[in-house]
Short mmCIF file of all heavy atoms in Angstrom, two decimals:
data_model
loop_
_atom_site.label_atom_id
_atom_site.label_comp_id
_atom_site.label_asym_id
_atom_site.label_seq_id
_atom_site.Cartn_x
_atom_site.Cartn_y
_atom_site.Cartn_z
N PRO A 1 -159.17 -58.57 129.81
CA PRO A 1 -158.02 -57.72 129.49
C PRO A 1 -158.01 -57.19 128.04
O PRO A 1 -158.35 -57.93 127.10
CB PRO A 1 -156.87 -58.70 129.67
CG PRO A 1 -157.43 -59.77 130.49
CD PRO A 1 -158.88 -59.96 130.12
N CYS A 2 -157.58 -55.96 127.89
CA CYS A 2 -157.53 -55.34 126.56
C CYS A 2 -156.18 -54.62 126.40
O CYS A 2 -155.45 -54.33 127.38
CB CYS A 2 -158.66 -54.36 126.38
SG CYS A 2 -158.64 -53.02 127.54
N THR A 3 -155.88 -54.13 125.22
CA THR A 3 -154.64 -53.42 124.87
C THR A 3 -154.78 -51.96 125.00
O THR A 3 -153.86 -51.22 124.71
CB THR A 3 -154.11 -53.79 123.50
OG1 THR A 3 -155.20 -53.48 122.58
CG2 THR A 3 -153.81 -55.28 123.38
N LEU A 4 -155.90 -51.41 125.37
CA LEU A 4 -156.22 -49.95 125.46
C LEU A 4 -155.29 -49.36 126.54
O LEU A 4 -154.99 -49.99 127.56
CB LEU A 4 -157.61 -49.74 125.82
CG LEU A 4 -158.72 -50.17 124.80
CD1 LEU A 4 -160.09 -50.11 125.40
CD2 LEU A 4 -158.56 -49.49 123.45
N GLN A 5 -154.92 -48.13 126.30
CA GLN A 5 -154.01 -47.47 127.27
C GLN A 5 -154.65 -46.18 127.75
O GLN A 5 -154.40 -45.80 128.99
CB GLN A 5 -152.70 -47.05 126.59
CG GLN A 5 -151.82 -48.24 126.08
CD GLN A 5 -151.40 -49.09 127.39
OE1 GLN A 5 -151.04 -48.52 128.41
NE2 GLN A 5 -151.38 -50.38 127.18
N GLU A 6 -155.40 -45.39 127.07
CA GLU A 6 -155.96 -44.16 127.47
C GLU A 6 -157.09 -44.44 128.43
O GLU A 6 -157.90 -45.33 128.26
CB GLU A 6 -156.54 -43.34 126.29
CG GLU A 6 -155.48 -42.89 125.32
CD GLU A 6 -154.50 -41.92 125.99
OE1 GLU A 6 -154.91 -41.17 126.85
OE2 GLU A 6 -153.35 -41.91 125.58
N TYR A 7 -157.11 -43.59 129.57
CA TYR A 7 -158.15 -43.80 130.56
C TYR A 7 -159.54 -43.72 129.96
O TYR A 7 -160.46 -44.48 130.37
CB TYR A 7 -157.91 -42.83 131.68
CG TYR A 7 -158.86 -42.98 132.87
CD1 TYR A 7 -158.61 -43.88 133.87
CD2 TYR A 7 -160.08 -42.27 132.92
CE1 TYR A 7 -159.44 -44.10 134.95
CE2 TYR A 7 -160.98 -42.45 133.96
CZ TYR A 7 -160.70 -43.35 134.98
OH TYR A 7 -161.51 -43.50 136.01
N SER A 8 -159.75 -42.65 129.19
CA SER A 8 -161.10 -42.49 128.56
C SER A 8 -161.62 -43.71 127.81
O SER A 8 -162.71 -44.04 127.76
CB SER A 8 -161.09 -41.27 127.70
OG SER A 8 -160.12 -41.38 126.66
N ASP A 9 -160.73 -44.32 127.11
CA ASP A 9 -160.96 -45.59 126.35
C ASP A 9 -161.24 -46.75 127.28
O ASP A 9 -162.27 -47.49 127.15
CB ASP A 9 -159.81 -45.94 125.42
CG ASP A 9 -159.66 -44.96 124.27
OD1 ASP A 9 -160.62 -44.25 123.89
OD2 ASP A 9 -158.53 -44.84 123.78
N LEU A 10 -160.43 -46.80 128.33
CA LEU A 10 -160.61 -47.95 129.27
C LEU A 10 -162.01 -47.72 130.00
O LEU A 10 -162.62 -48.73 130.38
CB LEU A 10 -159.54 -48.01 130.28
CG LEU A 10 -158.19 -48.49 129.82
CD1 LEU A 10 -157.03 -48.11 130.72
CD2 LEU A 10 -158.20 -49.98 129.55
N ALA A 11 -162.42 -46.47 130.23
CA ALA A 11 -163.64 -46.26 130.90
C ALA A 11 -164.85 -46.73 130.20
O ALA A 11 -165.93 -47.08 130.75
CB ALA A 11 -163.84 -44.78 131.24
N GLU A 12 -164.74 -46.88 128.83
CA GLU A 12 -165.85 -47.35 127.99
C GLU A 12 -165.73 -48.82 127.64
O GLU A 12 -166.49 -49.34 126.85
CB GLU A 12 -165.92 -46.49 126.76
CG GLU A 12 -166.19 -44.99 126.99
CD GLU A 12 -166.16 -44.20 125.68
OE1 GLU A 12 -165.85 -44.78 124.62
OE2 GLU A 12 -166.53 -43.00 125.79
N HIS A 13 -164.79 -49.47 128.26
CA HIS A 13 -164.54 -50.91 127.95
C HIS A 13 -165.34 -51.72 128.98
O HIS A 13 -165.42 -51.38 130.10
CB HIS A 13 -162.95 -51.22 128.11
CG HIS A 13 -162.70 -52.60 127.96
ND1 HIS A 13 -162.64 -53.32 126.75
CD2 HIS A 13 -162.32 -53.53 128.87
CE1 HIS A 13 -162.30 -54.58 126.90
NE2 HIS A 13 -162.14 -54.72 128.21
N PRO A 14 -165.98 -52.85 128.50
CA PRO A 14 -166.01 -53.42 127.15
C PRO A 14 -167.19 -52.88 126.37
O PRO A 14 -168.16 -52.43 126.89
CB PRO A 14 -166.07 -54.92 127.41
CG PRO A 14 -166.90 -54.97 128.74
CD PRO A 14 -166.57 -53.78 129.49
N GLN A 15 -167.11 -53.13 125.02
CA GLN A 15 -168.27 -52.82 124.20
C GLN A 15 -168.66 -54.09 123.43
O GLN A 15 -167.87 -55.06 123.35
CB GLN A 15 -167.84 -51.78 123.11
CG GLN A 15 -167.57 -50.41 123.79
CD GLN A 15 -167.17 -49.38 122.85
OE1 GLN A 15 -167.55 -49.42 121.63
NE2 GLN A 15 -166.44 -48.33 123.29
N PRO A 16 -169.93 -54.22 123.07
CA PRO A 16 -170.44 -55.55 122.67
C PRO A 16 -170.07 -56.02 121.32
O PRO A 16 -170.19 -57.24 121.04
CB PRO A 16 -172.00 -55.27 122.70
CG PRO A 16 -172.16 -53.76 122.51
CD PRO A 16 -170.96 -53.15 123.16
N SER A 17 -169.61 -55.24 120.33
CA SER A 17 -169.35 -55.68 118.95
C SER A 17 -168.19 -56.64 118.88
O SER A 17 -167.19 -56.48 119.64
CB SER A 17 -169.24 -54.57 118.08
OG SER A 17 -167.92 -53.91 118.18
N ASP A 18 -168.31 -57.59 117.99
CA ASP A 18 -167.19 -58.56 117.77
C ASP A 18 -165.93 -57.80 117.21
O ASP A 18 -164.85 -58.19 117.50
CB ASP A 18 -167.64 -59.60 116.78
CG ASP A 18 -168.59 -60.65 117.40
OD1 ASP A 18 -168.51 -60.71 118.74
OD2 ASP A 18 -169.29 -61.38 116.70
N GLU A 19 -166.24 -56.84 116.29
CA GLU A 19 -165.10 -56.05 115.77
C GLU A 19 -164.33 -55.36 116.87
O GLU A 19 -163.06 -55.29 116.80
CB GLU A 19 -165.66 -55.06 114.71
CG GLU A 19 -166.17 -55.67 113.45
CD GLU A 19 -166.56 -54.67 112.39
OE1 GLU A 19 -166.38 -53.44 112.70
OE2 GLU A 19 -167.12 -55.03 111.39
N TYR A 20 -165.03 -54.79 117.79
CA TYR A 20 -164.34 -54.10 118.89
C TYR A 20 -163.50 -55.09 119.71
O TYR A 20 -162.34 -54.85 120.05
CB TYR A 20 -165.39 -53.48 119.81
CG TYR A 20 -164.80 -52.92 121.10
CD1 TYR A 20 -164.30 -51.59 121.24
CD2 TYR A 20 -164.93 -53.67 122.32
CE1 TYR A 20 -163.72 -51.22 122.39
CE2 TYR A 20 -164.30 -53.18 123.45
CZ TYR A 20 -163.74 -51.95 123.52
OH TYR A 20 -163.20 -51.49 124.68
N ARG A 21 -164.07 -56.21 119.98
CA ARG A 21 -163.36 -57.24 120.79
C ARG A 21 -162.03 -57.71 120.12
O ARG A 21 -161.02 -57.85 120.70
CB ARG A 21 -164.22 -58.50 121.08
CG ARG A 21 -165.32 -58.20 122.06
CD ARG A 21 -165.74 -59.45 122.79
NE ARG A 21 -166.13 -60.61 121.97
CZ ARG A 21 -166.35 -61.79 122.52
NH1 ARG A 21 -166.17 -62.01 123.74
NH2 ARG A 21 -166.79 -62.76 121.68
N LYS A 22 -162.19 -57.88 118.77
CA LYS A 22 -160.97 -58.28 118.03
C LYS A 22 -159.89 -57.10 118.04
O LYS A 22 -158.68 -57.30 118.08
CB LYS A 22 -161.27 -58.62 116.62
CG LYS A 22 -162.09 -59.97 116.50
CD LYS A 22 -162.48 -60.35 115.13
CE LYS A 22 -163.24 -61.63 115.08
NZ LYS A 22 -163.64 -62.01 113.64
N GLU A 23 -160.43 -55.86 117.93
CA GLU A 23 -159.48 -54.76 117.89
C GLU A 23 -158.71 -54.60 119.15
O GLU A 23 -157.54 -54.28 119.10
CB GLU A 23 -160.25 -53.53 117.58
CG GLU A 23 -159.45 -52.21 117.44
CD GLU A 23 -160.19 -51.01 117.20
OE1 GLU A 23 -161.41 -51.13 116.87
OE2 GLU A 23 -159.66 -49.89 117.28
N VAL A 24 -159.37 -54.72 120.26
CA VAL A 24 -158.71 -54.42 121.57
C VAL A 24 -158.00 -55.70 122.12
O VAL A 24 -157.44 -55.61 123.25
CB VAL A 24 -159.75 -53.91 122.60
CG1 VAL A 24 -160.32 -52.63 122.15
CG2 VAL A 24 -160.78 -54.89 122.98
N THR A 25 -158.05 -56.81 121.38
CA THR A 25 -157.23 -58.02 121.80
C THR A 25 -156.44 -58.54 120.64
O THR A 25 -156.24 -59.73 120.49
CB THR A 25 -158.22 -59.11 122.33
OG1 THR A 25 -159.21 -59.41 121.26
CG2 THR A 25 -159.00 -58.58 123.56
N ALA A 26 -155.98 -57.59 119.75
CA ALA A 26 -155.24 -58.06 118.61
C ALA A 26 -153.90 -58.70 118.98
O ALA A 26 -153.31 -59.55 118.18
CB ALA A 26 -155.03 -56.82 117.64
N GLY A 27 -153.35 -58.29 120.11
CA GLY A 27 -152.13 -58.80 120.53
C GLY A 27 -152.12 -59.04 122.06
O GLY A 27 -152.95 -58.41 122.72
N SER A 28 -151.36 -59.93 122.63
CA SER A 28 -151.43 -60.17 124.08
C SER A 28 -150.00 -60.54 124.53
O SER A 28 -149.28 -61.40 124.01
CB SER A 28 -152.37 -61.25 124.49
OG SER A 28 -152.32 -61.45 125.86
N ILE A 29 -149.57 -59.94 125.65
CA ILE A 29 -148.37 -60.44 126.34
C ILE A 29 -148.82 -61.15 127.67
O ILE A 29 -148.02 -61.88 128.29
CB ILE A 29 -147.46 -59.25 126.75
CG1 ILE A 29 -148.03 -58.19 127.67
CG2 ILE A 29 -146.85 -58.57 125.46
CD1 ILE A 29 -147.18 -57.22 128.18
N LEU A 30 -150.10 -60.87 128.03
CA LEU A 30 -150.61 -61.53 129.27
C LEU A 30 -150.69 -63.04 129.19
O LEU A 30 -150.11 -63.80 130.01
CB LEU A 30 -152.00 -60.92 129.61
CG LEU A 30 -152.65 -61.56 130.83
CD1 LEU A 30 -151.84 -61.32 132.12
CD2 LEU A 30 -154.17 -61.08 130.92
N TYR A 31 -151.32 -63.57 128.16
CA TYR A 31 -151.51 -64.99 127.99
C TYR A 31 -150.24 -65.71 127.87
O TYR A 31 -150.06 -66.84 128.46
CB TYR A 31 -152.58 -65.29 126.93
CG TYR A 31 -153.93 -64.94 127.38
CD1 TYR A 31 -154.64 -63.82 126.76
CD2 TYR A 31 -154.62 -65.60 128.43
CE1 TYR A 31 -155.93 -63.42 127.18
CE2 TYR A 31 -155.89 -65.22 128.80
CZ TYR A 31 -156.51 -64.13 128.19
OH TYR A 31 -157.77 -63.71 128.67
#
């Protein structure tokens, strides 16, 4: 799960870098 909203961004999710993972999971209402 990620915080991205735009379809074009979601279509490229996930990406391998640690920086990317931290950016798209900076906050969560799911957990």
Side-chain angles (χ1 to χ4, degrees):
C2 63
T3 58
L4 299 171
Q5 294 296 323
E6 295 296 328
Y7 183 86
S8 57
D9 295 332
L10 288 166
E12 297 178 355
H13 175 76
Q15 296 181 22
S17 73
D18 287 340
E19 290 184 4
Y20 171 85
R21 289 211 301 172
K22 291 180 179 180
E23 181 182 350
V24 300
T25 58
S28 176
I29 62 172
L30 174 64
Y31 288 110

